[in-house]
Amino acid sequence: MEGIDVDAPGTTQLLMGNEAIARGALEAGLGFTAQYPGTPSSEILSALAAVAKKMNFHAEWSVNEIVAVEAAAGASFAGIPALSAMKQNGVNVASDFLVNLGMTGSGSGGLVLVTGDDPSAISSSNEEDSRWICKWMDMPLLEPSTAQEAKDMTRWAFEVSRIVENACFVRETTRLAHTRGKVVLGDLPKERKTAYFPDVWNMCNPTKSQFTSGPFGILHHKLHERLKKIVPVFEDSEFNEYVGPEKPELLVITSGVCSLYCMEAVTLLGAEDRIGVFKLGTTWPLPEKLLRTQLERTQTILFAEEIDAFTEGNVMELAASLWADLKPITFLGKRSGHIPSWGAVSTDMMATTMAGILNVEYSSAGRTAAYDEGLSTAAKMVPPRAINLCPGCPHRGTYWSIKNALTIDGRHGLVAGDIGCYSLGFIGAGFFQERTMHCMGAGIGVANGLGNLREFGFDQPVLALAGDSTFYHACIPAMVNGVYNRSNFIFVIVDNSATAMTGFQPHPGVGRAATGEPAPIVDMEALCRALGARVEVCDPFDIERTTSMLLSLMADEGGGARVLIMRRICELVRARRDKSRPYTMRVNPDLCAGDACGCNRLCIRLFGCPGLIWDQETGRAQIDEAICTGCGLCADICPQKAIEREAA
Amino acid sequence: MKEPAKEPLNLIIGGVGGQGNVLMSLLVGRALVARGYVASVGDTYGVSQRGGPVASHIRISKDRSYGPLIPRGHADIIVTLEPVEALRLLAELGNPGTMIIANSRPVYPPDVSSGKATYPELKDLFGALGEYSAKSTLVHATEAALELGDPIYTNIIMLGALLGADVVPLDREAMVEVLADRFKGPALERNKVALDKGFDLVQQP
């Protein structure tokens, strides 16, 4: 039996870190979960939503992270165990609520927040360590290192939250979130809670019946006091573990998946008798007594953690407060330059760093210099595989029309971009059209400013571009602002009816809830019209009409905030639904002039759909049958009309 | 089924996004855990939904949790659904003792089509794979899948080839059990045929 809802305590499953977190929440009696998709944490809600109906709890894709966290907190106020997961950027979005929640406290249900940080920004617009919010707002922080710990810590986090009456954070990084590991299941609770918002005013403990962030003087003090209650619990936690000799030459203090890298590096170096590894699972607040015993072990300490020197700085602060009692210690880590302050950590990095500190050799298994040199020369024949928009992607059509329209307009117009698959507009896949990219909703925000510079002679057309899910998440206030303050921009909404980048999760525009049940549709077109904006709708695959529509919108001087909805379903979603191709495509070899055309392989080099390939033998373009989705778009871009579509 | 040759045994399953290597590794991981091993399966990929290099790192141990990624030079077995990806992974993670099992059918990157890059001659590619590994076996899995009626079976054929090579502590029965958890009825039967096809292909000289 596979699945996070299997009621068989003691049995094992292979679960992804995210699934293990979901399972841990179920074991804690989860009643409410709300989330906005974001890599690497999306699968937590996907897994929970899949069993929510059957297990009778609430699971929703919320419109954004602050609403999700507020909703989950609301459930906790009424006594229902609640969880909200997000990626690092989501913590930023939710932060204003969280700094207030610290004052009011969370409810008796317990509130667990999961943050999925993305070292090396594998699928993110930025790299960021979200753990700081826990120190900032006195929230306890747990960092699992394996799928098993992800489950066990999440389950425990609800208890921690109830003790400190504040949200408890569980921090995962990409490698934990997306790695499957062996998990021994625990029991699922059988009793069911009743939701009730306490209405009895109790002067002795007002937070029980009121969750208001004032009077701050008292509440801020109480917040600090509440956090202290968890320290003795953390001192005894089984999630903190030391492995190594009593007095090691080098002590490594580590957390999360880095602890596995460190343990393996010690094995690879055969240095078990020289290096000790202290894995800290409860990273904030620090279990100070336990850490003091670690600090007393040695005089050389190396920190290994992903992204910022968070624990490194915290432990050094602690050491400073104990300086009179400790022997001198050399601290090594990100501050000393032994570990980079950016990017993911690896076993190789740890083994190399430890070898350098101990002054021993480390070389990869059996790889001699001669082998390395020969293989790296041979590997030069491996061609790169550049990232690209998918074959049949509607965004390719949208960017093609934007590029054409801005070129014809000639005033050096630009696109302020946003976060989604269409972010690839900043590279060749989107013809380098995206000129700004920050957080979700930032494109239209930046356009608000650029669109109000008339007094300074600014006449470049300003386009903001965002996806449908991003529109609901973060663009509506900026759209209202643009109308109200008469900013001059065109807001292009690339509506592909899905949160495509993160795995096709539904949103308020698609008519389906997280659980798969029907949901009301929030009509973005009607919403924008209600704001008083001019709203047009085009098909990204109709290049001619889209280009002339963009030119017409740009010519509408003083048109204020205008909206162009580019509507076509994500090709991956369509292909799954229809299981067929709209067209059969072919390149007519009599019409394709090859390199003699003068187009410089426009369809392949510039348009760049992966379904178009170059036939080296005939020197002509060709359709790759295995990759082409039959969307038909490329037929409209060939100057020779050599690409032909035939209804399939 | 034999004991893992070393501790940990490090297996890579690679390919190009969309080829089905993630499902392959999930099945291998589940079968290993069902047989009592501590296994972890870490997927690596870029931001592209389709077309980028994808590799799953599988770490097989009797009793210990290892990090999600195989350290440089420590891959024992590399299985790929695309031949040039085998060399890409060997260069990063292989050593002279690594065993390679690769599907022989290339998937050309867009940069090759546009003329910005070239795909190596297959004889050069296969030569390099042989020279820098202990053993390199090519499997015509895509062709075999097309014979079965759909290229979608390529990954299960390669899974059969991995079992047939007898380098992981799993037998046919273990894999059929996890396939039966995933597929039912005629789909299960077709996947069993694909599994056996791969098993036979790798054992032919």
Side-chain angles (χ1 to χ4, degrees):
Chain A
M1 282 279 284
E2 297 293 340
I4 62 159
D5 58 332
V6 173
D7 192 6
T11 63
T12 58
Q13 289 224 6
L14 183 76
L15 295 182
M16 191 192 276
N18 281 336
E19 295 169 329
I21 286 170
R23 169 70 190 198
L26 293 179
E27 291 181 5
L30 181 77
F32 191 102
T33 183
Q35 184 175 340
Y36 181 79
T39 311
S41 60
S42 306
E43 294 84 1
I44 298 171
L45 195 111
S46 306
L48 288 169
V51 299
K53 235 179 126 182
K54 191 167 111 191
M55 297 181 73
N56 202 11
F57 65 88
H58 180 85
E60 67 172 48
W61 287 119
S62 302
V63 74
N64 64 31
E65 293 87 350
I66 191 167
V67 173
V69 171
E70 287 160 349
S76 88
F77 296 158
I80 300 300
L83 177 135
S84 182
M86 62 212 87
K87 70 180 298 172
Q88 75 255 4
N89 309 82
V91 176
N92 306 338
V93 174
S95 61
D96 203 6
F97 177 72
L98 290 173
V99 297
N100 283 282
L101 181 74
M103 300 294 168
T104 74
S106 57
S108 62
L111 176 61
V112 175
L113 305 176
V114 179
T115 170
D117 285 358
D118 190 15
S120 297
I122 295 165
S123 197
S124 299
S125 58
N126 68 335
E127 185 185 66
E128 174 189 343
D129 195 323
S130 64
R131 294 177 295 175
W132 296 105
I133 196 162
C134 295
K135 192 172 180 183
W136 177 22
M137 272 326 289
D138 283 7
M139 288 182 283
L141 171 65
L142 308 176
E143 291 190 61
S145 62
T146 61
Q148 182 73 51
E149 279 193 351
K151 178 191 84 66
D152 295 340
M153 278 191 180
T154 305
R155 179 180 177 144
W156 185 49
F158 285 86
E159 214 177 299
V160 174
S161 164
R162 286 187 285 263
I163 292 169
V164 299
E165 297 170 70
N166 199 354
C168 176
F169 260 95
V170 177
R171 189 235 199 181
E172 58 172 0
T173 54
T174 302
R175 289 287 166 241
L176 173 65
H178 284 167
T179 295
R180 293 169 200 276
K182 182 178 176 173
V183 176
V184 180
L185 303 182
D187 58 316
L188 293 171
K190 301 289 180 282
E191 95 245 44
R192 194 166 172 75
K193 291 201 163 59
T194 304
Y196 182 70
F197 193 102
D199 61 356
V200 182
W201 175 259
N202 177 347
M203 280 304 288
C204 299
N205 195 355
T207 57
K208 292 289 181 201
S209 58
Q210 265 194 327
F211 298 88
T212 55
S213 52
F216 74 90
I218 299 169
L219 294 181
H220 200 174
H221 168 68
K222 287 189 75 154
L223 170 63
H224 300 323
E225 293 304 310
R226 281 191 274 123
L227 184 69
K228 284 182 193 160
K229 291 200 284 185
I230 204 66
V231 174
V233 183
F234 281 6
E235 296 282 4
D236 295 329
S237 168
E238 60 183 7
F239 297 119
N240 302 321
E241 190 186 10
Y242 175 76
V243 177
E246 190 53 40
K247 297 280 179 194
E249 284 172 57
L250 173 67
L251 170 68
V252 188
I253 298 181
T254 181
S255 61
V257 284
C258 288
S259 58
L260 296 175
Y261 302 146
C262 293
M263 295 298 293
E264 186 166 5
V266 172
T267 307
L268 289 174
L269 293 172
E272 289 88 346
D273 55 345
R274 299 180 69 186
I275 306 176
V277 177
F278 179 65
K279 183 200 72 171
L280 186 61
T282 64
T283 31
W284 189 257
L286 290 180
E288 297 188 356
K289 285 183 195 145
L290 180 63
L291 272 158
R292 181 182 172 142
T293 52
Q294 305 306 324
L295 292 170
E296 284 166 350
R297 281 186 196 282
T298 185
Q299 288 180 272
T300 310
I301 293 180
L302 172 68
F303 294 95
E305 58 193 315
E306 284 193 301
I307 308 184
D308 287 342
F310 178 76
T311 296
E312 180 176 337
N314 295 337
V315 173
M316 286 170 76
E317 277 177 24
L318 173 66
S321 73
L322 300 170
W323 73 275
D325 304 331
L326 294 173
K327 286 182 191 159
I329 299 173
T330 305
F331 290 105
L332 308 173
K334 294 177 194 283
R335 287 161 192 244
S336 67
H338 285 77
I339 304 285
S341 308
W342 63 90
V345 174
S346 67
T347 301
D348 292 304
M349 185 192 290
M350 291 318 304
T352 309
T353 305
M354 291 174 186
I357 295 166
L358 293 186
N359 204 14
V360 297
E361 284 291 307
Y362 170 65
S363 64
S364 306
R367 284 178 71 131
T368 58
Y371 176 86
D372 259 350
E373 198 185 322
L375 180 53
S376 61
T377 305
K380 289 201 177 110
M381 71 173 87
V382 177
R385 287 192 195 271
I387 54 171
N388 200 345
L389 294 166
C390 301
C393 176
H395 302 331
R396 185 175 285 107
T398 297
Y399 275 124
W400 188 263
S401 299
I402 287 174
K403 178 178 160 47
N404 287 343
L406 292 180
T407 306
I408 295 166
D409 177 85
R411 288 177 293 167
H412 305 283
L414 61 108
V415 176
D418 225 296
I419 304 300
C421 295
Y422 48 85
S423 296
L424 293 187
F426 86 97
I427 59 168
F431 321 118
F432 304 100
Q433 290 303 297
E434 190 184 58
R435 305 282 291 282
T436 76
M437 177 173 72
H438 302 85
C439 64
M440 289 186 73
I444 186 170
V446 167
N448 265 270
L450 290 168
N452 250 334
L453 297 175
R454 299 175 201 82
E455 289 83 352
F456 302 95
F458 188 90
D459 76 336
Q460 294 168 263
V462 177
L463 275 61
L465 186 145
D468 41 343
S469 188
T470 304
F471 170 78
Y472 295 107
H473 178 287
C475 296
I476 296 169
M479 186 63 210
V480 174
N481 190 70
V483 170
Y484 172 55
N485 287 307
R486 300 182 192 280
S487 188
N488 220 15
F489 61 81
I490 299 159
F491 182 27
V492 181
I493 308 173
V494 287
D495 177 11
N496 62 359
S497 302
T499 317
M501 184 93 187
T502 50
F504 321 111
Q505 294 83 0
H507 60 62
V510 304
R512 187 162 44 83
T515 51
E517 292 169 294
I521 292 178
V522 178
D523 183 341
M524 68 166 73
E525 194 181 328
L527 186 63
C528 292
R529 284 191 208 287
L531 296 179
R534 174 180 167 191
V535 181
E536 304 287 353
V537 182
C538 281
D539 176 357
F541 284 0
D542 189 340
I543 289 173
E544 202 181 323
R545 180 164 181 272
T546 304
T547 307
S548 58
M549 182 62 76
L550 278 164
L551 288 167
S552 144
L553 285 162
M554 284 191 273
D556 188 2
E557 300 278 355
R562 288 143 283 170
V563 176
L564 173 60
I565 300 174
M566 300 300 302
R567 184 167 289 150
R568 180 171 276 268
I569 192 168
C570 168
E571 173 57 26
L572 296 180
V573 176
R574 188 208 64 78
R576 260 187 221 176
R577 181 191 68 192
D578 297 351
K579 301 195 188 310
S580 68
R581 300 176 185 186
Y583 297 105
T584 301
M585 306 302 296
R586 73 182 276 265
V587 176
N588 186 331
D590 299 331
L591 294 178
C592 176
D595 282 334
C597 174
C599 76
N600 197 12
R601 303 189 193 178
L602 177 110
C603 60
I604 291 163
R605 293 176 74 101
L606 200 60
F607 186 68
C609 177
L612 289 156
I613 54 173
W614 193 251
D615 186 337
Q616 304 287 356
E617 279 171 31
T618 63
R620 299 280 185 278
Q622 198 186 359
I623 303 292
D624 185 333
E625 287 297 325
I627 292 171
C628 174
T629 61
C631 77
L633 181 59
C634 55
D636 293 329
I637 59 108
C638 173
Q640 302 288 352
K641 302 282 172 217
I643 307 178
E644 298 171 347
R645 63 184 159 223
E646 189 183 315
Chain B
M1 183 170 53
K2 59 183 187 183
E3 286 288 297
K6 61 184 271 291
E7 169 68 34
L9 186 66
N10 295 320
L11 164 67
I12 301 257
I13 299 182
V16 176
Q19 280 195 305
N21 74 307
V22 172
L23 174 62
M24 249 178 104
S25 356
L26 173 65
L27 294 171
V28 170
R30 283 192 175 157
L32 287 163
V33 167
R35 285 291 186 268
Y37 292 98
V38 176
S40 74
V41 183
D43 298 329
T44 67
Y45 49 83
V47 292
S48 58
Q49 293 272 9
R50 290 286 182 275
V54 188
S56 302
H57 293 221
I58 304 181
R59 318 217 51 194
I60 307 165
S61 167
K62 283 192 206 117
D63 50 16
R64 176 171 164 183
S65 287
Y66 286 89
L69 300 185
I70 297 168
R72 184 168 182 273
H74 285 266
D76 300 305
I77 307 149
I78 295 175
V79 181
T80 63
L81 292 160
E82 205 280 349
V84 87
E85 292 308 315
L87 185 55
R88 194 192 303 279
L89 289 164
L90 183 71
E92 188 193 342
L93 297 156
N95 64 63
T98 302
M99 167 176 261
I100 295 170
I101 307 170
N103 181 20
S104 58
R105 169 71 78 95
V107 176
Y108 299 107
D111 281 357
V112 169
S113 297
S114 67
K116 274 187 254 175
T118 51
Y119 196 93
E121 292 289 331
L122 291 181
K123 67 170 174 38
D124 296 340
L125 173 60
F126 300 156
L129 290 176
E131 189 179 345
Y132 294 100
S133 69
K135 188 180 177 193
S136 170
T137 308
L138 291 165
V139 180
H140 302 306
T142 305
E143 284 73 13
L146 289 167
E147 277 172 33
L148 293 179
D150 197 328
I152 200 165
Y153 296 115
T154 307
N155 61 344
I156 304 297
I157 291 171
M158 288 304 293
L159 192 54
L162 171 64
L163 298 189
D166 198 27
V167 286
V168 288
L170 290 175
D171 54 17
R172 180 181 182 279
E173 191 192 344
M175 196 49 65
V176 168
E177 277 170 29
V178 291
L179 279 174
D181 233 13
R182 175 102 190 175
F183 302 102
K184 303 288 170 214
L188 174 62
E189 290 314 309
R190 284 194 295 271
N191 278 298
K192 281 189 338 201
V193 171
L195 192 72
D196 291 340
K197 183 82 189 165
F199 206 95
D200 294 344
L201 279 175
V202 81
Q203 291 187 333
Q204 285 161 10

